[in-house]
Amino acid sequence: MQSHPFEGGFRGIEIRRSNNNVSLRSTEILKTEVMELSETHSKTNLLSNPEAVSETSLKGTKATSLFKRHSPLASTQYQHSVLADIDLSNTLHKGNFAQTLADQYPLTPAKLEIFQINIGKLCNMSCRHCHVDAGPDRTQENMNRETIDLCLRALDLTEAHTVDITGGAPELNPQFRYLVDQCVARGKHVIDRCNLTVLLLPRMEDLPQWFADRGVEIVCSLPHYRRRNTDAQRGDGTFEKSIAALHLLNAVGYGQDDPKRRLTLMSNPVGAFLTSNQTKLEQEWKTGLQKNYGIEFDRLITLNNMPISRYLEWLEQSGNLQTYLELLVNSFNPATVNGLMCRNTLSVSWDGRLYDCDFNQMLDLECQPIDLQPMHIRDFDPIRLAERQIVTGRHCFGCTAGAGSSCGGALS
């Protein structure tokens, strides 16, 4: 396990930029539609505790990307420094994740099972909690056909059974359908991480049936089964559009206990607290959505919010950063370590760089092989990958707090 230098204090790191050239012609065709649908979502993105804890609610901040606003937090270097500067001297091992694990809970790579590909940061929404800092303005960061083919070539060298496609809104990438078809043809289980509202774009109206025909699992972001809490986190009008999209998916057979048409909902806490019991929440959500809207789904997964990117900004602005980090550290659960996604998942960025997980990707913490040479999808080597040291930092406490958290939900 490789501890990132920022975990012990701020040290400057080099921010590298990719020379990957991306054709934006098809993306620009979608841009007008994306901007129109996103206007509603960017008006009022509030975070509020459903238990009415007012001090953990966000007050009327318009959510646009950190990148667009030229915020200091758009720099991952700055994010690292903010996390490192928080005094956690009264917490477990002073907030040092690597030291917390040490020899007692070794964090080493397991067999690669999930090949996660982030194909871009373009999104029709600008959610206030987004750890990707995605939005309608992120048109430059989109994976091109060449890099997708490199991903497919690398996939063929592994025994990974699942391809997890994420973004942004991955459906907006012009190469998205090609990637899905290629993975399905290889017999892989394909997951599309969908924000739901993207399915209402005119050019996307055929997607529900298209997904169903290919057996793609849809993992949908929906903070809460009530309008108020969902709109608070993702913008006014989001809940209504999400319900409309869920009806479209139900209409083509999703959410009916068909393993070929699996509908999974994903929830993040709407505030500065940990997610609740996933099993109990699932039953509550199924009852609420079916009773009030006639919506059916197969399972619910819950994730803790990671203290990075736009959620980190909110924590700072609301005065919750110190207490939230203390909560994450003090809620460390050793039973979660074995199931951490950095052990069995490879995360590939839009420009082909390799990471232990999606959160490390958003912090520019690249995979660290034993030879310390940068890893890129064009040079993919399963042996080097298996021998790497997993990179960690303070943000990793978000995955080990409480019941744990991963792209697949709770861990214990």
Side-chain angles (χ1 to χ4, degrees):
M1 178 179 61
Q2 178 70 40
S3 175
H4 190 265
F6 282 103
E7 194 167 2
F10 175 73
R11 303 177 194 172
I13 62 172
E14 176 186 3
I15 299 177
R16 296 206 302 264
R17 298 184 181 274
S18 169
N19 294 320
N20 195 356
N21 294 317
V22 181
S23 172
L24 297 177
R25 183 174 59 184
S26 298
T27 303
E28 289 299 323
I29 294 174
L30 288 169
K31 189 173 182 180
T32 300
E33 297 172 2
V34 170
M35 292 298 290
E36 288 176 353
L37 190 58
S38 69
E39 285 179 359
T40 300
H41 305 306
S42 64
K43 288 181 180 178
T44 312
N45 286 286
L46 307 177
L47 283 174
S48 60
N49 187 330
E51 303 301 326
V53 182
S54 60
E55 60 268 23
T56 63
S57 63
L58 183 73
K59 297 177 175 61
T61 301
K62 182 176 180 179
T64 56
S65 74
L66 301 170
F67 177 82
K68 183 176 182 178
R69 288 182 276 121
H70 304 290
S71 166
L73 286 170
S75 163
T76 56
Q77 179 177 350
Y78 186 77
Q79 290 186 52
H80 286 297
S81 68
V82 168
L83 293 176
D85 286 345
I86 299 299
D87 180 9
L88 297 177
S89 57
N90 293 323
T91 65
L92 183 68
H93 295 292
K94 299 182 179 180
N96 187 302
F97 189 78
Q99 188 176 349
T100 299
L101 298 188
D103 296 330
Q104 191 173 0
Y105 313 110
L107 185 60
T108 56
K111 180 180 179 180
L112 180 61
E113 297 179 307
I114 302 172
F115 205 95
Q116 187 176 69
I117 308 175
N118 187 308
I119 61 176
K121 297 186 178 183
L122 179 64
C123 188
N124 58 299
M125 302 182 69
S126 297
C127 298
R128 195 65 182 85
H129 71 301
C130 182
H131 74 280
V132 180
D133 195 30
D137 60 296
R138 306 304 298 268
T139 58
Q140 299 297 316
E141 301 96 337
N142 277 282
M143 186 176 285
N144 61 19
R145 179 69 165 266
E146 178 185 0
T147 306
I148 284 177
D149 283 335
L150 290 173
C151 288
L152 293 169
R153 186 180 71 179
L155 177 65
D156 291 339
L157 298 176
T158 76
E159 297 181 2
H161 52 69
T162 297
V163 178
D164 187 342
I165 306 175
T166 185
E171 304 87 353
L172 297 180
N173 186 301
Q175 304 300 326
F176 172 74
R177 300 194 191 210
Y178 168 76
L179 174 59
V180 171
D181 278 336
Q182 289 295 314
C183 293
V184 170
R186 286 166 165 78
K188 304 300 182 182
H189 174 62
V190 177
I191 294 174
D192 172 48
R193 293 194 178 264
C194 179
N195 68 22
L196 287 175
T197 65
V198 74
L199 300 180
L200 303 183
L201 287 170
R203 292 171 60 87
M204 303 293 165
E205 59 188 8
D206 67 317
L207 268 181
Q209 186 63 59
W210 190 87
F211 285 140
D213 292 342
R214 288 156 179 78
V216 175
E217 177 180 358
I218 311 300
V219 177
C220 305
S221 299
L222 191 71
H224 205 267
Y225 66 89
R226 293 191 179 99
R227 181 190 310 272
R228 174 190 173 189
N229 294 327
T230 289
D231 285 357
Q233 189 180 88
R234 305 185 72 200
D236 287 347
T238 298
F239 184 78
E240 181 180 353
K241 292 180 173 67
S242 297
I243 292 298
L246 287 171
H247 276 300
L248 294 177
L249 290 169
N250 278 174
V252 296
Y254 276 96
Q256 313 299 319
D257 293 322
D258 182 349
K260 293 292 186 180
R261 299 183 180 186
R262 194 177 196 186
L263 179 59
T264 299
L265 300 187
M266 181 183 70
S267 171
N268 299 79
V270 188
F273 47 90
L274 302 182
T275 184
S276 301
N277 181 279
Q278 181 171 287
T279 301
K280 291 182 179 179
L281 284 180
E282 180 178 296
Q283 187 56 53
E284 181 182 346
W285 280 52
K286 285 188 173 182
T287 300
L289 287 174
Q290 202 288 323
K291 178 181 179 180
N292 296 316
Y293 305 100
I295 296 296
E296 304 282 354
F297 67 95
D298 295 306
R299 65 171 182 148
L300 174 75
I301 59 176
T302 57
L303 282 75
N304 292 326
N305 286 310
M306 299 298 290
I308 62 178
S309 195
R310 293 209 289 262
Y311 185 68
L312 175 58
E313 179 186 48
W314 175 74
L315 288 172
E316 278 198 301
Q317 292 176 346
S318 62
N320 282 293
L321 180 55
Q322 176 87 36
T323 55
Y324 187 68
L325 287 182
E326 290 174 351
L327 174 64
L328 295 183
V329 177
N330 291 330
S331 301
F332 172 75
N333 180 359
T336 64
V337 175
N338 190 55
L340 291 175
M341 59 184 172
C342 55
R343 301 194 63 231
N344 71 342
T345 300
L346 174 66
S347 178
V348 187
S349 68
W350 67 272
D351 56 2
R353 289 183 289 166
L354 306 185
Y355 301 83
D356 297 309
C357 72
D358 187 55
F359 302 122
N360 275 11
Q361 180 181 149
M362 299 312 150
L363 287 172
D364 279 333
L365 298 177
E366 298 182 43
C367 283
Q368 293 292 325
I370 55 177
D371 59 13
L372 300 183
Q373 296 300 309
M375 299 184 74
H376 191 277
I377 197 66
R378 76 171 69 89
D379 308 311
F380 183 77
D381 182 343
I383 296 178
R384 286 184 72 213
L385 184 70
E387 294 175 343
R388 76 189 187 282
Q389 298 182 44
I390 295 175
V391 181
T392 63
R394 279 186 164 177
H395 64 289
C396 297
F397 281 106
C399 289
T400 58
S405 185
S406 76
C407 285
L411 299 174
S412 68

